[in-house]
Amino acid sequence: MIESQRRHDRDAFGWGVLLVAIGVGALSLQLFPDVGSVVVLAIGLALLVLFAVRRRYAALVPGAIMTGLGAGIVVADMGLWPGVDTGGVVVAGLGLGFLGIWLIGLLTNVVGHHPWPLVPGSILTIVGIALVLGGVFEDLILFWPLLLVAIGVVILARAGTTPRGESGPR
């Protein structure tokens, strides 16, 4: 009974934090239209607080993604690099958010941790950086699918060399 009450209190705290963050963000947008770029970051950070309290992967994933995306939006809106494709900054921020899922999950040993965020995180971060750098780097973006094909071929080749009955390296 006591454990059930504790779980209920933690759930209520988490939902309370999330609702306060969303409400403050929505109110801020109405009162101060120029703070729109910060709202995504604030909601992401609130979800990361929820993760820190609850240690639930379900809060980490959207929290890290929204924090990365929000940070990218805020940095792009700051106008630090005139003439630079700010869309690339936002894309790189989103990619770093995905990479953050993997890193935070690894460091906290959270249940549900898996390397899947490395794939979209790496792709988005590389594409974002290439967009920011422009020129030849932006031209190289056209060839990123070849990298995926090469990695797939390597995985298939390794899978074909594992003798039957053995599970191979893990």
Side-chain angles (χ1 to χ4, degrees), residues 21-129:
I22 292 171
V24 167
L27 184 62
S28 297
L29 278 175
Q30 290 179 358
L31 297 175
F32 311 101
D34 294 338
V35 300
S37 62
V38 182
V39 172
V40 175
L41 178 61
I43 293 171
L45 290 172
L47 286 165
L48 289 179
V49 167
L50 179 61
F51 167 74
V53 171
R54 299 289 322 283
R55 291 283 197 243
R56 296 280 173 96
Y57 198 66
L60 173 60
V61 173
I65 290 170
M66 290 185 74
T67 299
L69 179 61
I73 292 169
V74 168
V75 170
D77 282 354
M78 293 172 78
L80 299 175
W81 304 287
V84 169
D85 181 2
T86 56
V89 175
V90 175
V91 171
L94 179 59
L96 292 173
F98 274 98
L99 294 176
I101 296 168
W102 178 80
L103 182 61
I104 294 168
L106 178 70
L107 295 175
T108 61
N109 200 24
V110 67
V111 174
H113 174 64
H114 192 272
W116 73 265
L118 294 174
V119 174
S122 299
I123 292 169
L124 289 167
T125 303
I126 290 168
V127 168
I129 291 171

Side-chain angles (χ1 to χ4, degrees), residues 131-162:
L131 289 171
V132 168
L133 296 175
V136 68
F137 296 103
E138 197 168 350
D139 294 339
L140 289 175
I141 293 174
L142 300 173
F143 298 104
W144 73 265
L146 292 176
L147 179 61
L148 294 180
V149 170
I151 293 170
V153 167
V154 169
I155 291 171
L156 289 172
R158 289 186 68 194
T161 61
T162 304

